[in-house]
Amino acid sequence: MKIPHNIIEELIAQAQKDAPDESCGYLLGTDDTVTENYWMENIDHSSEHFSFAPKDQFAALRYAREHGLKILANWHSHPASPSRPSQEDLRLANDPTIRYAILSLLDGEPKLNSFKILNGEVVDKEVHL
């Protein structure tokens, strides 16, 4: 998956704004290239996990369809931990058609990786930043 630098900068800015809570959303695009960040509120307001509001998820799906885009990845931040899936992330990653991107803000050095997760196991990792 290709994520343009301007989208990565947008993710970092949003994650820093939402910290110490996790930030989250969808990465939308065509083929294998992200063209938009669709930010959604973390309704858990937690620094250790996130949840999307169902109405926001439906709005994101509708937006993607209306604009000829597809959801390429579910993304969230880890304000104080590495850019790797937690046990909860692995357990909740139930869509085998998308990637799961995690932006770490640990030690003030943002790192962004995305993962393909099948049956609770990481089967592929891409480094984006």
Side-chain angles (χ1 to χ4, degrees), residues 62-98:
R62 187 171 45 255
Y63 177 88
R65 278 193 211 118
E66 289 171 356
H67 291 87
L69 303 171
K70 62 181 181 175
I71 295 170
L72 300 178
N74 165 326
W75 80 271
H76 71 281
S77 64
H78 281 181
S81 60
S83 176
R84 64 175 178 245
S86 66
Q87 289 302 311
E88 181 175 333
D89 294 335
L90 293 172
R91 183 175 56 79
L92 296 175
N94 56 17
D95 186 343
T97 67
I98 65 171

Side-chain angles (χ1 to χ4, degrees), residues 6-38:
N6 66 310
I7 303 279
I8 292 173
E9 291 298 318
E10 190 178 315
L11 299 179
I12 293 168
Q14 188 62 54
Q16 289 172 333
K17 179 181 172 208
D18 290 345
D21 291 346
E22 289 190 358
S23 193
C24 54
Y26 285 141
L27 296 177
L28 308 177
T30 55
D31 299 318
D32 199 30
T33 302
V34 174
T35 58
E36 292 187 45
N37 164 37
Y38 193 99

Side-chain angles (χ1 to χ4, degrees), residues 35-59:
T35 58
E36 292 187 45
N37 164 37
Y38 193 99
W39 174 84
M40 289 187 273
E41 179 184 2
N42 174 359
I43 61 171
D44 290 342
H45 301 286
S46 169
S47 62
E48 296 180 356
H49 52 87
F50 73 97
S51 293
F52 300 138
K55 67 178 178 58
D56 291 343
Q57 285 182 280
F58 288 123

